[in-house]
Amino acid sequence: MVGKFLVSGKLSARKVATAGPGIYPDDDGLYLCVTKSLARAWVYRYSWQGRRPEMGLGSVADGVGLAEARAARDEARRILRTGRNPVEAKREASKAAARRRTFGEIADALLETRASEWRNTKHREQWRVALAEAAGPLRSRPVDEIDTEAILAVLKPLWLEKPETASRLRGRIEAVLDAAKAQGHRSGENPARWRGHLAHLLPKRQKLARGHHAALPYAEVSAFMAQLREIDTAAARALEFLILTAARTGEVLGARWPEMDLGSKVWAIPADRMKAGRGHRIPLCGRAVEILEKLAQAKFSEFIFPGRRVGKPLSHVAMAKVIARMGVKEATVHGFRSAFRDWAGNETHFAREVAEAALAHVVGDAAEQAYRRSDALEKRRELMESWAHYCRPENANNVIRAFGWACDGY
């Protein structure tokens, strides 16, 4: 310690503010050091293994007043009583603080880790938006500081207005905090846990009525097709192709040219793009092939239905917007799969298993699935041609029931 002791005894707030250059002791090893330029800093001097080291406790200019300096000295003395060097303990605490991870860092790492689990692009985007935007107030906070109060602050604004969104957000926050605990970045119970915790703090949500997607009655599909054919856009052709193949939105929007075999009239969707994680072949009816052949003439992207952004497919809402512009309020894109299934069950003699296979649904238990290895492609080809015939715009004013060919077995 450089300087000269000028005064003994405890300091006062006035003395701290007005003292000239020198070193002023307070009590129990605390000193105020004032330089020639009148800079004022605090030092704690103590005994450690035969030496008299010094520990800086901050400066008055940085807001460390007499009370704060005394509190810091008392904490250093407490550490000494445990047999540790307070300077080393302070250094270790600084390193630990530097290693502390934020909620945002853990969330981003979790998204990257789980990316391979989510085959659906829309699902991945929902997780990203939830953790990047809805949980935004948590992102910059150290993950080990996030408590129940912080969770409630994020959930309450959504809980009654958008209960399903809030419930999913809660589950995703819980997953991030579980990952942080598994990695050693936090301990204790998960404050986002529902049972036995948030269930007692948030009002009970009304039970969701998980109905089916709104579906256009199959008897009206041909009239819808007649109107759809009048719209000359990529989204309209994508929607028509979806209806003719009874495929899901993501399967159509993510369709790439290498998946199509126009010679065999088969669309082979790889397992990593299917909801069930199993490859699926779809027989293409004549009109579906016609759509593909026309699009192939102006092909400029790997995607069959490319969007405006280079290298990206159409937006997942593009087909829904077509329906909205057509003024058809009782229909959804996914609902056309229901229309197809209702038609197949009510208006044809095709076996149930064939119709379910056309929708890429898994039928039966594991043993039955192992026994039935065929995907009944040719039987499904007859079914899809019959469906395409039923959907023809020519049938709009005279609905023709297409019974198809009899299929007694699978």
Side-chain angles (χ1 to χ4, degrees):
M1 189 186 304
V2 179
K4 179 180 177 183
F5 295 107
L6 299 181
V7 180
S8 62
K10 291 188 176 182
L11 294 170
S12 66
R14 178 175 176 79
K15 186 65 176 178
V16 170
T18 60
I23 299 173
Y24 301 84
D26 180 55
D27 198 6
D28 294 326
L30 178 63
Y31 297 89
L32 172 67
C33 301
V34 183
T35 67
K36 291 181 180 180
S37 63
L38 299 182
R40 305 166 192 275
W42 298 100
V43 170
Y44 172 56
R45 193 176 188 190
Y46 58 99
S47 297
W48 178 257
Q49 297 179 351
R51 296 180 292 111
R52 294 283 290 173
E54 295 177 356
M55 177 181 180
L57 300 181
S59 68
V60 175
D62 290 335
V64 182
L66 179 58
E68 290 80 9
R70 286 171 174 169
R73 173 204 59 198
D74 293 343
E75 174 61 17
R77 294 185 64 189
R78 184 193 67 77
I79 293 172
L80 267 175
R81 289 195 296 270
T82 65
R84 293 181 296 157
N85 186 334
V87 170
E88 293 178 359
K90 182 179 180 181
R91 188 179 300 117
E92 291 172 1
S94 297
K95 290 181 178 179
R99 291 195 301 268
R100 292 172 76 189
R101 304 287 297 279
T102 65
F103 179 90
E105 290 173 333
I106 300 295
D108 292 345
L110 180 65
L111 289 176
E112 185 175 351
T113 299
R114 289 195 172 181
S116 60
E117 299 177 17
W118 299 320
R119 301 180 181 89
N120 190 305
T121 303
K122 181 181 178 181
H123 191 52
R124 287 197 296 270
E125 181 64 10
Q126 288 173 338
W127 269 78
R128 188 199 66 77
V129 170
L131 295 177
E133 298 178 15
L138 303 176
R139 287 187 62 82
S140 62
R141 297 190 58 173
V143 73
D144 60 337
E145 289 185 0
I146 293 176
D147 54 14
T148 302
E149 183 179 356
I151 301 297
L152 290 175
V154 169
L155 295 180
K156 278 185 175 180
L158 293 171
W159 196 254
L160 295 179
E161 182 180 351
K162 298 180 179 180
E164 180 65 8
T165 299
S167 179
R168 290 177 178 175
L169 175 61
R170 183 209 62 78
R172 288 160 184 167
I173 293 173
E174 182 180 18
V176 173
L177 297 182
D178 279 343
K181 183 176 181 179
Q183 296 167 21
H185 298 298
R186 63 175 290 124
S187 59
E189 295 294 332
N190 192 323
R193 190 181 76 254
W194 176 250
R195 290 185 179 180
H197 186 56
L198 292 182
H200 301 302
L201 302 174
L202 289 168
K204 187 176 181 180
R205 298 184 299 118
Q206 293 184 350
K207 189 174 182 180
L208 294 174
R210 295 183 180 274
H212 298 292
H213 291 268
L216 191 71
Y218 62 81
E220 300 177 20
V221 172
S222 57
F224 180 89
M225 278 291 207
Q227 187 179 355
L228 184 61
R229 291 272 188 97
E230 297 298 319
I231 304 174
D232 187 19
T233 65
R237 295 292 72 76
L239 180 57
E240 183 180 1
F241 186 80
L242 176 141
I243 296 170
L244 294 172
T245 58
R248 298 181 178 90
T249 299
E251 295 161 7
V252 171
L253 296 182
R256 293 168 169 81
W257 286 107
E259 297 173 4
M260 301 296 173
D261 185 342
L262 298 185
S264 300
K265 297 184 179 180
V266 173
W267 173 19
I269 309 176
D272 62 359
R273 289 212 309 107
M274 292 299 298
K275 182 177 180 180
R278 300 169 59 175
H280 181 53
R281 295 192 299 170
I282 297 179
L284 299 171
C285 66
R287 173 57 185 170
V289 172
E290 182 181 330
I291 291 173
L292 293 175
E293 288 177 340
K294 186 173 181 180
L295 291 173
Q297 295 174 6
K299 180 170 60 176
F300 64 90
S301 168
E302 64 171 322
F303 291 103
I304 293 173
F305 301 103
R308 293 181 179 179
R309 295 174 59 188
V310 178
K312 298 291 183 179
L314 279 173
S315 164
H316 70 277
V317 299
M319 291 186 285
K321 288 183 177 179
V322 171
I323 297 175
R325 293 191 187 104
M326 291 171 67
V328 183
K329 298 181 180 179
E330 66 274 22
T332 60
V333 177
H334 194 81
F336 284 104
R337 283 167 57 85
S338 297
F340 165 78
R341 186 64 185 89
D342 290 343
W343 165 82
N346 296 339
E347 305 293 341
T348 80
H349 295 302
F350 287 97
R352 168 181 172 271
E353 291 85 354
V354 174
E356 291 296 315
L359 293 169
H361 287 165
V362 177
V363 179
D365 57 22
E368 186 178 358
Q369 293 167 29
Y371 179 77
R372 187 189 296 116
R373 296 181 182 278
S374 170
D375 61 359
L377 181 67
E378 293 310 314
K379 290 181 179 179
R380 288 192 289 118
R381 187 182 299 280
E382 295 175 1
L383 173 63
M384 302 317 291
E385 285 288 359
S386 186
W387 170 240
H389 178 80
Y390 182 85
C391 293
R392 290 188 307 170
E394 294 87 337
N395 297 334
N397 297 321
N398 181 25
V399 176
I400 300 174
R401 295 186 175 184
F403 283 88
W405 293 265
C407 295
D408 297 327
Y410 183 70

